[in-house]
DNA sequence: CATACTTCTTGATTTTTGTCAAGTGATGGA
DNA sequence: TCCATCACTTGACAAAAATCAAGAAGTATG
């Protein structure tokens, strides 16, 4: 995949969300930068300020904490997701998580400074930003509800239904930490579900 | 408080977030509607589609689930917060929570249709919407991290630090459900903290 | 091929949290 | 004033999840 392909993929995704003119895109596009991460390479080191917002063209990334003995998966980013510690990015303060590529990943990145500039010169991009924030908000809202109300078994089943390919790709101990339980507990949840069938 | 006062309060809040012209405000303002809720009155019934986004000028609201024996507090909205089930509002599908006034509350409301119209006619309002979504996103992000990583005691202490007045106003059984634990467990957490001192 | 490592599972045990039941103090009517 | 209700606490017990330890299966590596 060339850099041009990556930019085109991002443009297509944006076009699906909001209508924008060629002129607008031409003002916004140069503010972006294509970045390729190899497997296990870091996009963000925990504790550093998150300076870049990364649109995932292809590949997969994991947001995680290093304080724990095992790296503790907090979230995953796949194709057409954004990878970022938003609190760190928006407030330009130290991040509480790191971000690592789970496999070779192609990203279209924009710095905080350039993003602010893009919002200034393009109303369509402003709207796109709002829609992305709203999408992330609905996702987080759902997750809070799930953590408050659902049992580990329900959370696991919901994830399987919503994102079955995730389970193919991500080790179960990472899934467990995403669900907020220990790997051994997830193992037992799965054993139980097998027995039920 | 008059309706004009409520509108003015909302305008002031918006002005603190983004610069906007008088013309822009004049286009956006008529799309809003002031609403006063008495204590215990509902803004949204669980299961209904959330048709309105409510800016809280004064008062306090609670988002909750009715499925449980005790109403289960999911979140609270105070002055300068927005009260909404965003997934229901954005997608115009049945809400999974209800919203109730904890005391008499003055709201400035806007319907989904009018909000979409406001975004169309005002770039400043578009930016304001993005900033509000981002603010909510950071809040939710924090909450997910807290539910994943912190013990009930840590969650309680964090809440006390972040929002001490909330504990004055909200019964402990609601605090407990917000923290994702049972009232009895919160009671024990508090008893433990008292012993430690 | 042998070895080390990773991932996952299982069993035994401890810790945490939930559940059930009872009781206290405060508050608000009738 | 009395009674009912509400918010909170406490105790005894049950259930859920974490922890600790060991081992199986698969994969990578010398």
């Amino acid at each position: 995949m060339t850099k041009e392909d990556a930019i085109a993929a991002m443009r297509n995704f944006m076009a699906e969300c909001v209508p924008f003119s060629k002129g607008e895109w031409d003002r916004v596009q140069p503010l972006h930068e294509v970045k390729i991460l190899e497997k296990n390479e870091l996009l963000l080191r925990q504790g550093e300020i998150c300076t870049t917002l990364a649109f995932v063209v292809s590949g997969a990334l994991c947001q995680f904490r290093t304080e724990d003995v095992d790296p503790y998966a907090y979230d995953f980013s796949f194709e057409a997701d954004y990878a970022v510690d938003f609190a760190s990015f928006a407030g330009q303060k130290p991040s509480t998580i790191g971000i690592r590529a789970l496999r070779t990943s192609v990203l279209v990145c924009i710095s905080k400074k350039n993003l602010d500039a893009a919002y200034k010169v393009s109303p369509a991009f402003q709207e796109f930003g709002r829609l992305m924030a709203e999408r992330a908000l609905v996702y987080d809202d759902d997750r809070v509800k799930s953590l408050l109300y659902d049992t580990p078994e329900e959370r696991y089943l919901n994830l399987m239904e919503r994102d079955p390919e995730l389970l193919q790709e991500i080790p179960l101990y990472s899934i467990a930490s995403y669900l907020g339980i220990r790997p051994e507990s997830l193992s037992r949840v799965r054993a139980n579900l097998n027995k039920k069938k």
Side-chain angles (χ1 to χ4, degrees), chain A:
Chain A
M1 174 179 300
T2 66
K3 296 203 169 192
E4 285 71 29
D5 289 339
I7 293 281
M10 151 109 205
R11 180 180 180 166
N12 285 339
F13 177 76
M14 188 175 154
E16 278 170 30
C17 298
V18 295
F20 60 93
S21 65
K22 179 160 187 321
E24 228 167 354
W25 174 255
D26 288 343
R27 282 197 297 279
V28 162
Q29 187 258 302
L31 301 171
H32 290 83
E33 184 188 355
V34 177
K35 193 182 236 171
I36 296 176
L37 284 188
E38 296 304 323
K39 181 172 175 174
N40 287 326
E41 220 178 321
L42 290 178
L43 176 67
L44 172 67
R45 193 181 302 275
Q46 184 176 335
E48 285 180 356
I49 291 173
C50 182
T51 55
T52 194
L53 176 69
F55 176 79
V56 182
V57 172
S58 71
L61 294 90
C62 173
Q63 305 175 237
F64 64 98
R65 290 214 314 180
T66 49
E67 276 136 48
D68 311 87
V69 183
D70 306 306
Y72 207 116
Y74 162 70
D75 205 354
F76 307 102
S77 306
F78 297 100
E79 203 175 308
D81 287 337
Y82 276 92
V84 67
D85 179 343
F86 194 76
S88 169
F89 181 79
Q92 291 289 291
K93 56 188 178 190
S95 64
T96 54
I97 51 159
I99 304 179
R100 184 177 50 218
L102 294 170
R103 45 188 164 92
T104 303
S105 300
V106 180
L107 311 173
V108 177
C109 299
I110 188 166
S111 69
K112 176 81 166 87
K113 213 183 83 190
N114 281 356
L115 183 63
D116 290 341
Y119 285 146
K120 276 208 166 45
V121 299
S122 165
F125 202 71
Q126 183 79 248
E127 184 180 3
F128 178 66
R130 176 176 63 81
L131 293 173
M132 289 304 101
E134 289 180 358
R135 184 178 72 154
L137 177 61
V138 169
Y139 174 80
D140 269 12
D141 243 42
D142 238 47
R143 204 164 167 205
V144 170
K145 280 176 190 152
S146 171
L147 288 169
L148 283 177
Y149 302 137
D150 299 341
T151 62
E153 181 175 308
E154 288 169 331
R155 297 206 287 274
Y156 174 71
L157 288 170
N158 287 343
L159 183 63
M160 281 210 353
E161 194 177 341
R162 197 188 60 208
D163 221 334
E165 69 271 26
L166 188 138
L167 295 168
Q168 306 306 313
E169 172 152 23
I170 310 291
L172 287 172
Y173 62 78
S174 290
I175 303 281
S177 63
Y178 176 83
L179 297 175
I181 57 176
R182 304 266 85 205
E184 296 94 328
S185 296
L186 178 56
S187 228
R188 282 180 240 277
V189 164
R190 287 157 51 85
N192 249 310
L193 288 171
N194 281 331
K195 245 192 297 179
K196 279 188 196 167
K197 277 193 314 189

PDB file of all heavy atoms in Angstrom, chain A residues 116-140:
ATOM      1  N   ASP A 116      -6.297  21.433  14.967  1.00  0.00           N
ATOM      2  CA  ASP A 116      -6.927  22.718  15.272  1.00  0.00           C
ATOM      3  C   ASP A 116      -6.978  23.594  14.027  1.00  0.00           C
ATOM      4  O   ASP A 116      -7.981  24.264  13.757  1.00  0.00           O
ATOM      5  CB  ASP A 116      -6.161  23.424  16.396  1.00  0.00           C
ATOM      6  CG  ASP A 116      -6.350  22.729  17.741  1.00  0.00           C
ATOM      7  OD1 ASP A 116      -7.324  21.966  17.874  1.00  0.00           O
ATOM      8  OD2 ASP A 116      -5.525  22.926  18.648  1.00  0.00           O
ATOM      9  N   ALA A 117      -5.889  23.575  13.257  1.00  0.00           N
ATOM     10  CA  ALA A 117      -5.836  24.361  12.013  1.00  0.00           C
ATOM     11  C   ALA A 117      -6.866  23.850  11.015  1.00  0.00           C
ATOM     12  O   ALA A 117      -7.557  24.634  10.351  1.00  0.00           O
ATOM     13  CB  ALA A 117      -4.429  24.300  11.423  1.00  0.00           C
ATOM     14  N   ALA A 118      -6.976  22.532  10.918  1.00  0.00           N
ATOM     15  CA  ALA A 118      -7.924  21.935   9.968  1.00  0.00           C
ATOM     16  C   ALA A 118      -9.349  22.353  10.310  1.00  0.00           C
ATOM     17  O   ALA A 118     -10.139  22.689   9.422  1.00  0.00           O
ATOM     18  CB  ALA A 118      -7.795  20.414  10.003  1.00  0.00           C
ATOM     19  N   TYR A 119      -9.667  22.356  11.602  1.00  0.00           N
ATOM     20  CA  TYR A 119     -11.015  22.752  12.019  1.00  0.00           C
ATOM     21  C   TYR A 119     -11.271  24.205  11.625  1.00  0.00           C
ATOM     22  O   TYR A 119     -12.385  24.585  11.271  1.00  0.00           O
ATOM     23  CB  TYR A 119     -11.182  22.580  13.528  1.00  0.00           C
ATOM     24  CG  TYR A 119     -11.342  21.142  13.963  1.00  0.00           C
ATOM     25  CD1 TYR A 119     -10.834  20.699  15.186  1.00  0.00           C
ATOM     26  CD2 TYR A 119     -12.010  20.217  13.161  1.00  0.00           C
ATOM     27  CE1 TYR A 119     -10.988  19.382  15.597  1.00  0.00           C
ATOM     28  CE2 TYR A 119     -12.155  18.895  13.572  1.00  0.00           C
ATOM     29  CZ  TYR A 119     -11.647  18.483  14.792  1.00  0.00           C
ATOM     30  OH  TYR A 119     -11.800  17.188  15.192  1.00  0.00           O
ATOM     31  N   LYS A 120     -10.227  25.010  11.687  1.00  0.00           N
ATOM     32  CA  LYS A 120     -10.378  26.440  11.354  1.00  0.00           C
ATOM     33  C   LYS A 120     -10.689  26.652   9.878  1.00  0.00           C
ATOM     34  O   LYS A 120     -11.504  27.499   9.521  1.00  0.00           O
ATOM     35  CB  LYS A 120      -9.096  27.201  11.723  1.00  0.00           C
ATOM     36  CG  LYS A 120      -9.033  27.609  13.187  1.00  0.00           C
ATOM     37  CD  LYS A 120      -8.185  28.865  13.369  1.00  0.00           C
ATOM     38  CE  LYS A 120      -8.403  29.474  14.743  1.00  0.00           C
ATOM     39  NZ  LYS A 120      -8.408  28.475  15.848  1.00  0.00           N
ATOM     40  N   VAL A 121     -10.015  25.868   9.014  1.00  0.00           N
ATOM     41  CA  VAL A 121     -10.150  26.143   7.576  1.00  0.00           C
ATOM     42  C   VAL A 121     -11.265  25.347   6.907  1.00  0.00           C
ATOM     43  O   VAL A 121     -11.602  25.607   5.757  1.00  0.00           O
ATOM     44  CB  VAL A 121      -8.823  25.877   6.811  1.00  0.00           C
ATOM     45  CG1 VAL A 121      -7.711  26.786   7.343  1.00  0.00           C
ATOM     46  CG2 VAL A 121      -8.416  24.415   6.885  1.00  0.00           C
ATOM     47  N   SER A 122     -11.853  24.359   7.616  1.00  0.00           N
ATOM     48  CA  SER A 122     -12.843  23.515   6.947  1.00  0.00           C
ATOM     49  C   SER A 122     -14.049  23.189   7.814  1.00  0.00           C
ATOM     50  O   SER A 122     -13.957  22.386   8.755  1.00  0.00           O
ATOM     51  CB  SER A 122     -12.174  22.210   6.496  1.00  0.00           C
ATOM     52  OG  SER A 122     -13.166  21.265   6.161  1.00  0.00           O
ATOM     53  N   PRO A 123     -15.187  23.770   7.502  1.00  0.00           N
ATOM     54  CA  PRO A 123     -16.428  23.447   8.222  1.00  0.00           C
ATOM     55  C   PRO A 123     -16.784  21.968   8.106  1.00  0.00           C
ATOM     56  O   PRO A 123     -17.282  21.365   9.066  1.00  0.00           O
ATOM     57  CB  PRO A 123     -17.476  24.297   7.524  1.00  0.00           C
ATOM     58  CG  PRO A 123     -16.726  25.379   6.840  1.00  0.00           C
ATOM     59  CD  PRO A 123     -15.390  24.820   6.483  1.00  0.00           C
ATOM     60  N   ALA A 124     -16.510  21.378   6.942  1.00  0.00           N
ATOM     61  CA  ALA A 124     -16.835  19.960   6.776  1.00  0.00           C
ATOM     62  C   ALA A 124     -15.993  19.109   7.719  1.00  0.00           C
ATOM     63  O   ALA A 124     -16.476  18.137   8.307  1.00  0.00           O
ATOM     64  CB  ALA A 124     -16.596  19.524   5.333  1.00  0.00           C
ATOM     65  N   PHE A 125     -14.742  19.500   7.894  1.00  0.00           N
ATOM     66  CA  PHE A 125     -13.872  18.749   8.789  1.00  0.00           C
ATOM     67  C   PHE A 125     -14.313  18.923  10.239  1.00  0.00           C
ATOM     68  O   PHE A 125     -14.254  17.993  11.043  1.00  0.00           O
ATOM     69  CB  PHE A 125     -12.416  19.196   8.602  1.00  0.00           C
ATOM     70  CG  PHE A 125     -11.424  18.176   9.061  1.00  0.00           C
ATOM     71  CD1 PHE A 125     -11.245  17.006   8.343  1.00  0.00           C
ATOM     72  CD2 PHE A 125     -10.689  18.367  10.216  1.00  0.00           C
ATOM     73  CE1 PHE A 125     -10.348  16.045   8.770  1.00  0.00           C
ATOM     74  CE2 PHE A 125      -9.795  17.410  10.648  1.00  0.00           C
ATOM     75  CZ  PHE A 125      -9.621  16.246   9.923  1.00  0.00           C
ATOM     76  N   GLN A 126     -14.780  20.117  10.533  1.00  0.00           N
ATOM     77  CA  GLN A 126     -15.346  20.380  11.859  1.00  0.00           C
ATOM     78  C   GLN A 126     -16.506  19.421  12.138  1.00  0.00           C
ATOM     79  O   GLN A 126     -16.594  18.809  13.206  1.00  0.00           O
ATOM     80  CB  GLN A 126     -15.853  21.830  11.886  1.00  0.00           C
ATOM     81  CG  GLN A 126     -16.407  22.310  13.188  1.00  0.00           C
ATOM     82  CD  GLN A 126     -15.321  22.685  14.181  1.00  0.00           C
ATOM     83  OE1 GLN A 126     -15.165  22.013  15.189  1.00  0.00           O
ATOM     84  NE2 GLN A 126     -14.566  23.740  13.897  1.00  0.00           N
ATOM     85  N   GLU A 127     -17.363  19.280  11.157  1.00  0.00           N
ATOM     86  CA  GLU A 127     -18.509  18.385  11.325  1.00  0.00           C
ATOM     87  C   GLU A 127     -18.053  16.935  11.435  1.00  0.00           C
ATOM     88  O   GLU A 127     -18.564  16.166  12.250  1.00  0.00           O
ATOM     89  CB  GLU A 127     -19.479  18.540  10.142  1.00  0.00           C
ATOM     90  CG  GLU A 127     -20.737  17.709  10.324  1.00  0.00           C
ATOM     91  CD  GLU A 127     -21.715  17.850   9.172  1.00  0.00           C
ATOM     92  OE1 GLU A 127     -21.400  18.555   8.196  1.00  0.00           O
ATOM     93  OE2 GLU A 127     -22.800  17.235   9.252  1.00  0.00           O
ATOM     94  N   PHE A 128     -17.091  16.592  10.620  1.00  0.00           N
ATOM     95  CA  PHE A 128     -16.522  15.238  10.678  1.00  0.00           C
ATOM     96  C   PHE A 128     -15.966  14.950  12.079  1.00  0.00           C
ATOM     97  O   PHE A 128     -16.205  13.882  12.650  1.00  0.00           O
ATOM     98  CB  PHE A 128     -15.419  15.117   9.623  1.00  0.00           C
ATOM     99  CG  PHE A 128     -14.724  13.797   9.593  1.00  0.00           C
ATOM    100  CD1 PHE A 128     -15.394  12.641   9.220  1.00  0.00           C
ATOM    101  CD2 PHE A 128     -13.381  13.701   9.935  1.00  0.00           C
ATOM    102  CE1 PHE A 128     -14.747  11.409   9.185  1.00  0.00           C
ATOM    103  CE2 PHE A 128     -12.725  12.473   9.907  1.00  0.00           C
ATOM    104  CZ  PHE A 128     -13.406  11.332   9.529  1.00  0.00           C
ATOM    105  N   GLY A 129     -15.259  15.924  12.622  1.00  0.00           N
ATOM    106  CA  GLY A 129     -14.715  15.771  13.977  1.00  0.00           C
ATOM    107  C   GLY A 129     -15.811  15.553  15.008  1.00  0.00           C
ATOM    108  O   GLY A 129     -15.694  14.706  15.892  1.00  0.00           O
ATOM    109  N   ARG A 130     -16.887  16.302  14.856  1.00  0.00           N
ATOM    110  CA  ARG A 130     -18.004  16.132  15.785  1.00  0.00           C
ATOM    111  C   ARG A 130     -18.580  14.729  15.682  1.00  0.00           C
ATOM    112  O   ARG A 130     -18.833  14.061  16.684  1.00  0.00           O
ATOM    113  CB  ARG A 130     -19.094  17.164  15.507  1.00  0.00           C
ATOM    114  CG  ARG A 130     -20.339  16.975  16.374  1.00  0.00           C
ATOM    115  CD  ARG A 130     -21.372  18.067  16.154  1.00  0.00           C
ATOM    116  NE  ARG A 130     -21.898  18.106  14.810  1.00  0.00           N
ATOM    117  CZ  ARG A 130     -22.864  17.298  14.343  1.00  0.00           C
ATOM    118  NH1 ARG A 130     -23.381  16.371  15.123  1.00  0.00           N
ATOM    119  NH2 ARG A 130     -23.280  17.407  13.105  1.00  0.00           N
ATOM    120  N   LEU A 131     -18.772  14.261  14.456  1.00  0.00           N
ATOM    121  CA  LEU A 131     -19.350  12.934  14.262  1.00  0.00           C
ATOM    122  C   LEU A 131     -18.445  11.847  14.836  1.00  0.00           C
ATOM    123  O   LEU A 131     -18.926  10.866  15.430  1.00  0.00           O
ATOM    124  CB  LEU A 131     -19.611  12.684  12.774  1.00  0.00           C
ATOM    125  CG  LEU A 131     -20.708  13.563  12.172  1.00  0.00           C
ATOM    126  CD1 LEU A 131     -20.786  13.385  10.663  1.00  0.00           C
ATOM    127  CD2 LEU A 131     -22.055  13.248  12.814  1.00  0.00           C
ATOM    128  N   MET A 132     -17.145  12.022  14.685  1.00  0.00           N
ATOM    129  CA  MET A 132     -16.216  11.029  15.234  1.00  0.00           C
ATOM    130  C   MET A 132     -16.245  11.019  16.758  1.00  0.00           C
ATOM    131  O   MET A 132     -16.236   9.966  17.393  1.00  0.00           O
ATOM    132  CB  MET A 132     -14.784  11.324  14.737  1.00  0.00           C
ATOM    133  CG  MET A 132     -14.545  11.051  13.276  1.00  0.00           C
ATOM    134  SD  MET A 132     -14.930   9.344  12.783  1.00  0.00           S
ATOM    135  CE  MET A 132     -16.545   9.564  12.031  1.00  0.00           C
ATOM    136  N   ALA A 133     -16.309  12.220  17.337  1.00  0.00           N
ATOM    137  CA  ALA A 133     -16.389  12.315  18.798  1.00  0.00           C
ATOM    138  C   ALA A 133     -17.684  11.676  19.288  1.00  0.00           C
ATOM    139  O   ALA A 133     -17.706  10.954  20.288  1.00  0.00           O
ATOM    140  CB  ALA A 133     -16.302  13.776  19.247  1.00  0.00           C
ATOM    141  N   GLU A 134     -18.773  11.902  18.547  1.00  0.00           N
ATOM    142  CA  GLU A 134     -20.062  11.335  18.943  1.00  0.00           C
ATOM    143  C   GLU A 134     -20.054   9.817  18.821  1.00  0.00           C
ATOM    144  O   GLU A 134     -20.597   9.105  19.670  1.00  0.00           O
ATOM    145  CB  GLU A 134     -21.177  11.931  18.075  1.00  0.00           C
ATOM    146  CG  GLU A 134     -21.451  13.395  18.404  1.00  0.00           C
ATOM    147  CD  GLU A 134     -22.561  13.999  17.559  1.00  0.00           C
ATOM    148  OE1 GLU A 134     -23.102  13.284  16.684  1.00  0.00           O
ATOM    149  OE2 GLU A 134     -22.880  15.168  17.770  1.00  0.00           O
ATOM    150  N   ARG A 135     -19.408   9.321  17.773  1.00  0.00           N
ATOM    151  CA  ARG A 135     -19.299   7.865  17.597  1.00  0.00           C
ATOM    152  C   ARG A 135     -18.539   7.247  18.769  1.00  0.00           C
ATOM    153  O   ARG A 135     -18.964   6.244  19.352  1.00  0.00           O
ATOM    154  CB  ARG A 135     -18.583   7.559  16.274  1.00  0.00           C
ATOM    155  CG  ARG A 135     -18.493   6.082  15.951  1.00  0.00           C
ATOM    156  CD  ARG A 135     -17.832   5.820  14.610  1.00  0.00           C
ATOM    157  NE  ARG A 135     -16.392   6.082  14.615  1.00  0.00           N
ATOM    158  CZ  ARG A 135     -15.518   5.492  13.800  1.00  0.00           C
ATOM    159  NH1 ARG A 135     -15.939   4.622  12.902  1.00  0.00           N
ATOM    160  NH2 ARG A 135     -14.236   5.788  13.859  1.00  0.00           N
ATOM    161  N   ALA A 136     -17.432   7.891  19.132  1.00  0.00           N
ATOM    162  CA  ALA A 136     -16.632   7.384  20.253  1.00  0.00           C
ATOM    163  C   ALA A 136     -17.421   7.462  21.554  1.00  0.00           C
ATOM    164  O   ALA A 136     -17.325   6.584  22.418  1.00  0.00           O
ATOM    165  CB  ALA A 136     -15.331   8.177  20.366  1.00  0.00           C
ATOM    166  N   LEU A 137     -18.232   8.519  21.671  1.00  0.00           N
ATOM    167  CA  LEU A 137     -19.025   8.710  22.880  1.00  0.00           C
ATOM    168  C   LEU A 137     -20.057   7.592  23.044  1.00  0.00           C
ATOM    169  O   LEU A 137     -20.219   7.032  24.131  1.00  0.00           O
ATOM    170  CB  LEU A 137     -19.723  10.069  22.815  1.00  0.00           C
ATOM    171  CG  LEU A 137     -20.652  10.430  23.962  1.00  0.00           C
ATOM    172  CD1 LEU A 137     -19.877  10.473  25.267  1.00  0.00           C
ATOM    173  CD2 LEU A 137     -21.323  11.777  23.703  1.00  0.00           C
ATOM    174  N   VAL A 138     -20.739   7.254  21.968  1.00  0.00           N
ATOM    175  CA  VAL A 138     -21.728   6.176  22.029  1.00  0.00           C
ATOM    176  C   VAL A 138     -21.047   4.852  22.403  1.00  0.00           C
ATOM    177  O   VAL A 138     -21.546   4.088  23.226  1.00  0.00           O
ATOM    178  CB  VAL A 138     -22.470   6.038  20.678  1.00  0.00           C
ATOM    179  CG1 VAL A 138     -23.310   4.771  20.634  1.00  0.00           C
ATOM    180  CG2 VAL A 138     -23.347   7.261  20.442  1.00  0.00           C
ATOM    181  N   TYR A 139     -19.880   4.637  21.827  1.00  0.00           N
ATOM    182  CA  TYR A 139     -19.116   3.419  22.128  1.00  0.00           C
ATOM    183  C   TYR A 139     -18.758   3.351  23.613  1.00  0.00           C
ATOM    184  O   TYR A 139     -18.951   2.328  24.271  1.00  0.00           O
ATOM    185  CB  TYR A 139     -17.853   3.418  21.253  1.00  0.00           C
ATOM    186  CG  TYR A 139     -16.880   2.304  21.534  1.00  0.00           C
ATOM    187  CD1 TYR A 139     -17.092   1.025  21.037  1.00  0.00           C
ATOM    188  CD2 TYR A 139     -15.734   2.539  22.291  1.00  0.00           C
ATOM    189  CE1 TYR A 139     -16.192   0.005  21.284  1.00  0.00           C
ATOM    190  CE2 TYR A 139     -14.833   1.527  22.545  1.00  0.00           C
ATOM    191  CZ  TYR A 139     -15.051   0.267  22.039  1.00  0.00           C
ATOM    192  OH  TYR A 139     -14.150  -0.741  22.301  1.00  0.00           O
ATOM    193  N   ASP A 140     -18.258   4.467  24.153  1.00  0.00           N
ATOM    194  CA  ASP A 140     -17.860   4.509  25.561  1.00  0.00           C
ATOM    195  C   ASP A 140     -19.068   4.374  26.482  1.00  0.00           C
ATOM    196  O   ASP A 140     -19.004   3.710  27.519  1.00  0.00           O
ATOM    197  CB  ASP A 140     -17.141   5.829  25.860  1.00  0.00           C
ATOM    198  CG  ASP A 140     -15.640   5.692  25.665  1.00  0.00           C
ATOM    199  OD1 ASP A 140     -15.202   4.687  25.093  1.00  0.00           O
ATOM    200  OD2 ASP A 140     -14.906   6.612  26.089  1.00  0.00           O
TER     201      ASP A 140
END
